[in-house]
Amino acid sequence: MRRYFGRKLLTYTLTLFIAATIDWLIPRFMPGDPVYGLMSRMGNNSSPEAAKALSDYYYNLFGLNQPIWQQYLNFWGGLLHGDLGRSVFEHGQPVTDAIMAAVPYTLALLIPAILLSWWAGNSFGALAARRKWLDNTMLPVGYILTATPYMWLGIVLAFVFGFTLKMFPFANSYGLNLEPSFTWLFFTDLVAHWMLPFLSLFLVMFGGWAIGMRNMIIYELDADYSRYLEALGAPQRLVRKYAFRNAMLPQITGLALQLGVIVAGSLVTEIVFSYQGVGLLLFNAIKSEDYFLLQGIFLFVIVGVLAANFLVDIAYVIVDPRTRVGMRGGTA
Amino acid sequence: MSLQVSDLKVYYRTLAGDVKALDGATFSIADKEIMGLAGESGCGKSTLGNSLIRLDGRMRYVGGSVNLDGNELPVWDNQGMNEFRFRDVSVIPQYAMSAMNPTRKIGTMTAELLESRGEKYREIKPELLRRIDLVGLDRDVLGRYPIELSGGMKQRMVMVISTLLDPSLLIADEITSALDVSTQRAVAETLVSFRDHGFVKSMIVITHDVSILYQTADTILIMYAGKLAEKAPTKTIIEGAMHPYTKMLISSLPEVGVRYANKKLSGIPGSPPSLLRPPVGCRFRARCPLAFDKCVEEPPFVKVARDHMAACWKVTGSDA
């Protein structure tokens, strides 16, 4: 058991190191100069000397005037102290602050969408596998939903429920006339703004989970152990219970992968609804070639994926005895 | 009479039409009898075995009746059969290696299965342990997962589970096919010992391997293309078969002590007919060296000697 987790931990550390290095490299391969971009966005109508002084100040602030190897070492040095650098796009605000301001919105949007769609999709798929009429109606709907791009569904929802029916607002995470505060008014406003992006994510993922579960259940119900139980007259309740439990295994992996990409996962949805989450932040960071913000967000994604995978490794050990056998090096 | 099957017909539904895999089977098995059921692939032997316990989705009951210990088995009614399964009719399936739920401990699975059938696991457990000892497994297999057992161990475990409620009839479907020869012998001996201990009253051992039946079975029933060909005590089938198909089948087996370097083993030329549109009359006609005019009529499966049934005009005489 200890050896198993030791080996896993080593793999994850190595992956983290390589991924972080690539993460550092990629923004620097982008054509263009972030400081130049920043200066031009600020409106550069001062004298050339003043502009030179300002750009020197920025190069110095972001450490971009140092040799590239030094920048790489700085990156790791800062990382180990929990310092991700300063955002070019957010005018020198620390990257951690910029990310932390966006993270609650993304999490509040994605965690309920992923977990609820997972739960509802699996329950519904399992139900569909045993009811013919439900299967016949659910399957096409599920396929259409899962094949729908998030943003397209988002636009349709925004048009129907936001623009036409005026049931929900369809831009920003809260009304721009409000200040974030712990008041009932702000909370209801937040929920109203949250509704449409949530729905667009929920519906698409729901379709995917439901179809996956339905297919898995049908497969498991046809498995040898199911047939054996039926041949020995076991009631359907027991057969279905076993089939459901075993069909859940791949779904758990799927859930983990979803949770891993949680941070960047809703990129397009957040753009469609101008929802101030990490996805929108990432979009802006790319637009303004913000090395540090990009790095920070990607690092966030990397750590998220790795952590989620590690959790699944642990969950698998609990739910699937076959992994436990592999861990002891037992022979099948 | 323990089991009586009369004119049982089970077809497979396919897009092209019904495949008549079991087309009118009439036979009986006595108490304490181990009947071997042999024939080549696709002759309907597994269909016959399955139809006595559970028809799968593609199988369609067409006609006939099955009577076990004086009770009519509702083989056409999947729900109605549940009451009889496990307690009266049980099966050791062809896929014994994968018959146990991979994510449940064997003991837990057994307990859940028994409880779901309204039995008390606690009361049965001492007998379960006794039988685990009997087949030579460790008692701690109950705390293990199927994947931790070897193929032979899984097979024995499934044999113990299947016979736990002392069924009247046990169907062993191709259970030796996936095993190596030494394990085959152990499994065959275990089957016989189950009968001798009274765990099961009678047994149908389905196989395409006649030599395993020689060690196990009291009687052998030979099937060909969905029809019964011949049934007789094992010794009679091996030494004094009457049906031409049985004779050719037996003669295509190698004999111990005979060297085959110079003498080629004889097979049966040709292949079995399609069961989608089987030929009229005797289905072996096209491959039979003895076929004559009368064979366009279907031969009845009748008694030809004491404890000996066959379906062949050459044996019964054309006026039978």
Side-chain angles (χ1 to χ4, degrees):
Chain A
M1 181 75 95
R2 181 168 299 168
R3 255 194 58 200
Y4 174 77
F5 281 113
R7 214 167 51 220
K8 283 274 176 212
L9 214 59
L10 188 74
T11 320
Y12 281 117
T13 317
L14 199 67
T15 313
L16 179 67
F17 174 75
I18 295 171
T21 303
I22 295 175
D23 172 31
W24 176 83
L25 268 175
I26 284 183
R28 284 165 177 76
F29 278 136
M30 284 201 305
D33 181 340
V35 172
Y36 183 80
L38 177 67
M39 302 270 294
S40 59
R41 266 192 299 125
M42 286 163 70
N44 188 13
N45 46 17
S46 52
S47 66
E49 294 81 44
K52 176 84 174 63
L54 191 59
S55 71
D56 282 347
Y57 167 74
Y58 275 127
Y59 277 119
N60 199 34
L61 177 70
F62 299 126
L64 295 175
N65 49 358
Q66 290 167 345
I68 198 86
W69 59 268
Q70 183 68 44
Q71 288 187 36
Y72 181 64
L73 291 183
N74 290 348
F75 165 70
W76 276 107
L79 195 60
L80 295 177
H81 290 99
D83 177 13
L84 293 173
R86 287 171 180 280
S87 162
V88 180
F89 165 69
E90 298 278 7
H91 308 284
Q93 191 192 15
V95 164
T96 28
D97 291 359
I99 294 178
M100 281 309 155
V103 161
Y105 292 104
T106 292
L107 293 188
L109 185 60
L110 278 172
I111 289 189
I114 290 176
L115 290 183
L116 284 177
S117 69
W118 188 75
W119 174 79
N122 281 328
S123 317
F124 201 72
L127 198 68
R130 81 180 89 153
R131 301 242 197 294
K132 196 83 196 139
W133 64 268
L134 201 60
D135 198 29
N136 287 337
T137 48
M138 191 283 290
L139 204 60
V141 175
Y143 274 120
I144 291 171
L145 277 181
T146 193
T148 309
Y150 294 100
M151 47 170 181
W152 184 80
L153 189 66
I155 292 168
V156 170
L157 289 177
F159 181 76
V160 175
F161 293 100
F163 188 74
T164 311
L165 296 175
K166 303 206 189 308
M167 285 166 71
F168 299 105
F170 53 90
N172 299 316
S173 357
Y174 52 84
L176 294 177
N177 53 343
L178 291 175
E179 279 285 306
S181 56
F182 286 103
T183 58
W184 182 244
L185 178 70
F186 180 72
F187 180 72
T188 50
D189 189 57
L190 207 59
V191 170
H193 280 83
W194 169 86
M195 209 61 199
L196 287 182
F198 165 78
L199 267 183
S200 73
L201 291 170
F202 175 83
L203 286 176
V204 173
M205 289 191 277
F206 172 83
W209 290 125
I211 285 174
M213 191 59 181
R214 169 204 174 263
N215 293 346
M216 282 308 299
I217 288 268
I218 286 176
Y219 173 80
E220 294 290 341
L221 284 178
D222 201 38
D224 287 340
Y225 68 84
S226 299
R227 288 199 283 155
Y228 182 56
L229 285 177
E230 282 172 357
L232 295 187
Q236 283 298 304
R237 196 165 25 82
L238 183 68
V239 181
R240 290 197 181 281
K241 184 178 139 192
Y242 280 5
F244 184 77
R245 207 182 123 112
N246 292 345
M248 279 309 279
L249 296 176
Q251 300 293 83
I252 291 175
T253 316
L255 175 67
L257 291 178
Q258 287 271 336
L259 283 176
V261 295
I262 193 164
V263 195
S266 61
L267 184 84
V268 281
T269 309
E270 287 183 4
I271 294 169
V272 167
F273 292 99
S274 309
Y275 202 81
Q276 284 104 340
V278 179
L280 194 64
L281 193 66
L282 179 66
F283 182 61
N284 288 329
I286 294 172
K287 272 201 311 192
S288 55
E289 295 172 49
D290 190 338
Y291 293 177
F292 302 96
L293 192 53
L294 269 179
Q295 249 166 240
I297 294 171
F298 283 140
L299 197 70
F300 209 74
V301 177
I302 293 165
V303 171
V305 172
L306 291 181
N309 271 295
F310 193 62
L311 284 180
V312 169
D313 282 339
I314 295 172
Y316 248 81
V317 170
I318 295 166
V319 294
D320 190 348
R322 286 169 288 190
T323 49
R324 261 172 280 167
V325 176
M327 245 159 50
R328 282 204 300 268
T331 46
Chain B
M1 287 290 183
S2 170
L3 175 79
Q4 250 178 321
V5 175
S6 43
D7 202 29
L8 185 62
K9 288 181 182 172
V10 173
Y11 296 170
Y12 282 91
R13 272 182 293 205
T14 70
L15 288 176
D18 283 340
V19 173
K20 300 172 183 66
L22 182 64
D23 209 4
T26 304
F27 65 95
S28 57
I29 299 176
D31 280 354
K32 294 267 176 191
E33 178 178 339
I34 298 182
M35 185 188 85
L37 179 53
E40 57 199 293
S41 297
C43 73
K45 56 190 190 305
S46 283
T47 309
L48 173 54
N50 285 331
S51 65
L52 296 180
I53 184 154
R54 183 173 177 267
L55 296 170
D56 73 32
R58 301 159 302 139
M59 295 184 194
R60 193 163 62 87
Y61 168 85
V62 176
S65 67
V66 179
N67 192 300
L68 181 68
D69 298 329
N71 293 316
E72 179 84 8
L73 292 185
V75 291
W76 56 87
D77 175 7
N78 192 19
Q79 287 298 318
M81 270 301 285
N82 267 349
E83 199 188 317
F84 295 95
R85 288 175 185 142
F86 207 5
R87 289 197 185 95
D88 299 296
V89 197
S90 192
V91 67
I92 303 170
Q94 207 164 349
Y95 47 82
M97 312 281 171
S98 52
M100 290 182 285
N101 184 352
T103 59
R104 272 277 194 269
K105 283 181 181 159
I106 291 169
T108 317
M109 191 211 101
T110 312
E112 286 175 338
L113 174 61
L114 287 168
E115 301 282 343
S116 80
R117 293 301 313 274
E119 304 283 340
K120 293 273 177 291
Y121 179 60
R122 284 246 299 283
E123 289 168 17
I124 294 173
K125 198 172 177 190
E127 182 61 19
L128 172 64
L129 291 173
R130 214 167 66 76
R131 292 186 186 185
I132 286 174
D133 293 341
L134 185 79
V135 298
L137 289 170
D138 276 346
R139 287 185 169 203
D140 65 9
V141 288
L142 290 180
R144 290 180 179 278
Y145 291 96
I147 194 170
E148 298 177 85
L149 273 58
S150 72
M153 290 162 82
K154 275 187 260 195
Q155 178 106 34
R156 277 178 280 166
M157 194 61 224
V158 169
M159 289 170 81
V160 169
I161 295 174
S162 289
T163 54
L164 206 49
L165 297 183
D166 295 346
S168 175
L169 174 71
L170 177 70
I171 298 154
D173 190 358
E174 296 277 13
I175 60 168
T176 56
S177 306
L179 302 173
D180 68 78
V181 183
S182 58
T183 320
Q184 283 185 2
R185 187 190 163 91
V187 166
E189 280 167 358
T190 311
L191 282 180
V192 176
S193 79
F194 276 17
R195 190 265 318 264
D196 295 343
H197 280 90
F199 300 167
V200 291
K201 226 195 284 176
S202 48
M203 213 183 282
I204 297 178
V205 179
I206 301 171
T207 182
H208 56 255
D209 181 2
V210 180
S211 55
I212 204 81
L213 294 181
Y214 195 59
Q215 301 165 11
T216 328
D218 304 315
T219 59
I220 294 180
L221 173 62
I222 303 285
M223 285 186 71
Y224 183 78
K227 294 273 188 190
L228 305 189
E230 186 166 16
K231 187 191 174 193
T234 305
K235 211 169 149 55
T236 314
I237 289 282
I238 305 288
E239 290 166 5
M242 292 188 176
H243 196 285
Y245 176 66
T246 315
K247 282 185 194 164
M248 294 175 85
L249 192 69
I250 301 298
S251 71
S252 61
L253 294 171
E255 268 175 77
V256 176
V258 178
R259 298 183 66 87
Y260 289 92
N262 307 321
K263 183 179 164 238
K264 212 171 163 211
L265 264 174
S266 60
I268 308 175
S271 52
S274 156
L275 296 181
L276 199 57
R277 269 172 289 278
V280 287
C282 176
R283 292 184 180 179
F284 189 56
R285 188 158 47 109
R287 299 168 82 185
C288 183
L290 307 177
F292 66 116
D293 304 349
K294 185 73 177 171
C295 296
V296 292
E297 287 170 44
E298 191 174 319
F301 188 65
V302 291
K303 187 169 172 178
V304 290
R306 194 167 170 274
D307 294 329
H308 197 154
M309 314 265 290
C312 177
W313 291 119
K314 276 288 180 196
V315 178
T316 54
S318 32
D319 46 66

